[in-house]
């Protein structure tokens, strides 16, 4: 009886192995090592494959930075590989700048924009490339792209904005003239109390007024580049 029982058991095990279907389970973009397989016939992992009988199985696994995966699959005689794509979890991005009153605009590949005041924190960002723009009064706009990792990771970007200011060395004959930046609305700004000297003015085409008691005022126009200088 014992021998017969042992032979029957061995025959059953051999039959189970010979009739089971070897199935390889693959995950992307990362390979998960621990995979839970529940189903008929006591599925067994041998090497890199699961020995499974025909039927419906429940697969479940987890990977850091990705949503937990759970799915029902049907195993047939034609099944050899199961490939599953993991869904990444979102991450966050902090954008920091020293420029006062700065605003940050983040745009995804679909053209959707989110605007925040610096320091700005953006949550719920899926992996991908984003267009980033930082603007602040008196500073040159900054634009670039950033690759967001996602996967529950927190990223930080420090942005140094360049002042939208140039400088011009001015001199008059005779010396001692006051220098004003001409405002179209009439509210001229005093730049220097007496020439010669160096004046700082916003970039672009600007008009400067020179005044000296006893002399006729004079205006000059300058094309100024940000963070650059010249001589007048």
């Amino acid at each position: 009886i014992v021998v017969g029982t042992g032979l029957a058991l061995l025959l059953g095990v051999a039959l189970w192995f010979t009739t089971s279907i070897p199935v390889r389970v693959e995950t992307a973009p990362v390979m998960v090592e621990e995979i839970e397989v529940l189903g008929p016939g006591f599925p067994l992992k041998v090497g890199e494959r699961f020995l499974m009988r025909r039927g419906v199985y429940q697969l479940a696994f987890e990977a850091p930075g990705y949503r937990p995966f759970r799915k029902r699959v049907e195993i047939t005689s034609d099944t050899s590989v199961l490939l599953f794509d993991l869904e990444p979890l979102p991450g966050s991005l902090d954008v920091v700048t020293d420029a006062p009153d700065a605003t940050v605009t983040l745009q995804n590949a679909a053209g959707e924009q989110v605007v925040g005041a610096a320091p700005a924190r953006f949550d719920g960002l899926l992996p991908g490339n984003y267009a980033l723009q930082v603007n602040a009064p008196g500073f040159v706009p900054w634009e670039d792209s950033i690759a967001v990792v996602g996967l529950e990771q927190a990223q930080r970007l420090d942005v140094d904005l360049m002042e939208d200011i140039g400088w011009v060395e001015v001199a008059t004959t005779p010396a001692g003239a006051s220098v004003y930046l001409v405002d179209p609305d009439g509210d001229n700004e005093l730049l220097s109390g007496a020439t010669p000297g160096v004046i700082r003015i916003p970039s672009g085409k600007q008009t400067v007024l020179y005044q000296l008691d006893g002399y006729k005022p004079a205006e000059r126009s300058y094309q100024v580049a940000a963070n650059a200088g010249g001589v007048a």
Side-chain angles (χ1 to χ4, degrees):
I1 294 175
V2 173
V3 173
T5 302
L7 290 174
L9 181 60
L10 289 175
L11 181 61
V13 172
L15 181 63
W16 184 87
F17 271 99
T18 56
T19 57
S20 294
I21 303 168
V23 179
R24 179 181 176 88
V25 180
E26 298 181 355
T27 59
V30 296
M31 191 65 184
V32 178
E33 297 296 333
E34 299 294 330
I35 300 176
E36 181 183 12
V37 180
L38 300 176
F42 305 103
L44 176 66
K45 187 175 184 181
V46 178
E48 296 183 350
R49 296 180 182 273
F50 288 90
L51 295 180
M52 307 165 72
R53 309 300 296 273
R54 295 179 181 86
V56 177
Y57 290 78
Q58 178 83 27
L59 272 67
F61 49 81
E62 296 183 2
Y66 295 88
R67 297 192 186 280
F69 183 92
R70 193 174 301 274
K71 187 175 183 179
R72 291 169 61 87
V73 297
E74 183 177 1
I75 301 301
T76 68
S77 57
D78 295 327
T79 306
S80 60
V81 178
L82 297 175
L83 176 60
F84 301 106
D85 292 324
L86 301 177
E87 183 181 354
L89 289 168
S92 64
L93 172 66
D94 289 296
V95 182
V96 180
T97 180
D98 291 334
D101 301 322
T103 59
V104 183
T105 303
L106 189 71
Q107 179 177 300
N108 62 17
E112 300 169 332
Q113 291 186 346
V114 182
V115 181
R121 182 178 182 86
F122 301 95
D123 292 308
L125 300 181
L126 292 175
N129 292 322
Y130 291 76
L132 189 64
Q133 185 178 73
V134 182
N135 294 278
F139 292 82
V140 178
W142 181 94
E143 294 182 3
D144 204 349
S145 63
I146 182 170
V148 172
V149 178
L151 308 181
E152 294 189 302
Q153 295 189 28
Q155 295 173 256
R156 174 185 169 120
L157 179 66
D158 290 275
V159 178
D160 293 325
L161 295 182
M162 181 175 63
E163 282 191 275
D164 195 15
I165 296 291
W167 59 89
V168 179
E169 296 182 26
V170 294
T172 59
T173 303
S178 297
V179 185
Y180 296 86
L181 178 64
V182 175
D183 185 342
D185 296 328
D187 188 15
N188 296 341
E189 176 186 353
L190 178 64
L191 300 176
S192 176
T195 56
V198 176
I199 59 173
R200 289 165 51 86
I201 55 179
S203 66
K205 187 175 182 179
Q206 305 291 351
T207 300
V208 173
L209 174 68
Y210 297 90
Q211 287 185 330
L212 181 62
D213 290 342
Y215 292 86
K216 183 179 179 180
E219 288 188 358
R220 296 290 185 271
S221 292
Y222 304 106
Q223 186 68 40
V224 181
N227 200 35
V231 178

